[in-house]
Amino acid sequence: MPYPQFDRSRLSILPLDRRVSDIDLSVMIDPDGPLPEFSNPKLEAIANAVIRARDLGGARIMMYGAHVIRSGCGPWMIRLAEQGLITHFATNGAGSIHDFEFALKGYTCESVAKYISEGQFGLWEETGLLNDILAQGVKDGLGAGEAIGRYIWENDLPYKQYSVLANAYRLGIPATVHIGIGNDIIHEHPNCDGKVLGEASYTDFLVYAQSIAGLEHGVFLNFGSAVAGPEVYLKCLAMARNVAHQEGRTIYDITTAVFDLLDIEGDDYSATPPKSDPRYYFRPWKTILARTTADGGKSFYVRGSHGETLPNLAKLITDRIDVK
């Protein structure tokens, strides 16, 4: 006999203009403006690896967590894509929600403490529109990222110029969204369909796997995605290497870089910490920095806030393009 299920029709969904949002467009970092102060010698090597990957035809993939969008890095990410320096963006569900809210309203990010106390957290009308966008995308055979990007761009949302998903759609490069069911605020809404979430995200998983298949001589950059980033990458790389092995090819010449806040001492990440070390459970280290580059790749770890690391790396890369 089925267990009782929560009745979503009883929820009170309020308009976004009644929400106090913590972040607005003032956080956006202008690629033509001054850079945030940050210095790390590893950025030079990573920038060179991106240029090398472009010259050799390897994929240049950027996986990012939601905080990267909230930090105002979108304009720099778009600049990299416009110059052919990034060939695939990937994020989690929250990253796509912040991207959409910025494009629609010019603000995002509610106070969890305030609204969970009131029972209103995540229950905002306009944000729930994403469920309908995904449903239409599935009907059209699109993954989640392309469906959202198409909607923002083709409906001319007021601040579409700041949307990574919309500009990826404009430029014709993949931007995929890797959804964990129950992780995101739109999953609370009455118009959410689990079948749609699964199909939209699985389509993106396969699109992502195809991009990962091009990582020989390529670069994989992970900004602040501690779970989805390493875990989805790991499975896609296994699939890509399986086929490559059958065809007598390898996907070993990969440069990976992780940008996050955890303090990791030293420069050698080739060995995974022992299970007795809490850092063992920091998936980006064992997956992105160690295990998937063990057969000949290179890895780098850069500690710092995304609003500092990403623009400074992007500037180094684009400066090299200008020199060429």
Side-chain angles (χ1 to χ4, degrees), residues 241-271:
R241 282 179 171 169
N242 181 286
V243 172
H245 179 75
Q246 295 178 62
E247 296 174 349
R249 298 182 292 108
T250 60
I251 308 176
Y252 293 149
D253 180 18
I254 306 171
T255 299
T256 68
V258 172
F259 300 79
D260 219 310
L261 295 175
L262 185 70
D263 189 10
I264 298 178
E265 295 179 0
D267 293 321
D268 183 8
Y269 318 112
S270 59

Side-chain angles (χ1 to χ4, degrees), residues 127-183:
T127 310
L129 178 61
L130 281 166
N131 289 314
D132 299 329
I133 293 169
L134 293 176
Q136 184 60 54
V138 165
K139 288 180 182 178
D140 296 338
L142 305 183
E146 187 175 3
I148 299 168
R150 179 183 70 171
Y151 182 90
I152 294 170
W153 190 259
E154 293 191 353
N155 286 278
D156 198 24
L157 294 194
Y159 307 104
K160 67 180 183 180
Q161 70 267 33
Y162 297 107
S163 166
V164 174
L165 299 182
N167 283 278
Y169 174 78
R170 169 178 68 89
L171 295 166
I173 68 169
T176 51
V177 179
H178 303 276
I179 298 167
I181 293 187
N183 285 2

Side-chain angles (χ1 to χ4, degrees), residues 57-76:
R60 287 87 69 195
I61 298 172
M62 181 184 292
M63 178 74 182
Y64 58 94
H67 190 67
V68 175
I69 297 299
R70 291 167 50 184
S71 297
C73 294
W76 266 114

Side-chain angles (χ1 to χ4, degrees), residues 189-302:
H189 288 240
N191 67 336
C192 182
D193 185 336
K195 296 187 292 294
V196 166
L197 295 181
E199 186 168 349
S201 191
Y202 196 73
T203 295
D204 272 358
F205 174 72
L206 297 180
V207 171
Y208 194 45
Q210 183 63 29
S211 291
I212 295 289
L215 265 181
E216 179 70 0
H217 311 310
V219 173
F220 180 78
L221 308 174
N222 185 81
F223 283 87
S225 182
V227 179
E231 291 302 327
V232 179
Y233 163 67
L234 179 68
K235 281 70 173 184
C236 289
L237 184 60
M239 295 161 67
R241 282 179 171 169
N242 181 286
V243 172
H245 179 75
Q246 295 178 62
E247 296 174 349
R249 298 182 292 108
T250 60
I251 308 176
Y252 293 149
D253 180 18
I254 306 171
T255 299
T256 68
V258 172
F259 300 79
D260 219 310
L261 295 175
L262 185 70
D263 189 10
I264 298 178
E265 295 179 0
D267 293 321
D268 183 8
Y269 318 112
S270 59
T272 302
K275 290 184 178 180
S276 58
D277 186 333
R279 295 174 300 174
Y280 172 84
Y281 300 96
F282 181 58
R283 288 175 175 86
W285 185 344
K286 62 185 178 184
T287 298
I288 299 172
L289 299 178
R291 292 173 177 169
T292 60
T293 58
D295 298 288
K298 297 179 182 178
S299 60
F300 300 90
Y301 182 80
V302 178

Side-chain angles (χ1 to χ4, degrees), residues 98-106 152 157-160 162-163:
H98 290 306
D99 188 285
F100 176 74
E101 288 189 347
F102 265 138
L104 179 65
K105 291 290 190 178
I152 294 170
L157 294 194
Y159 307 104
K160 67 180 183 180
Y162 297 107
S163 166

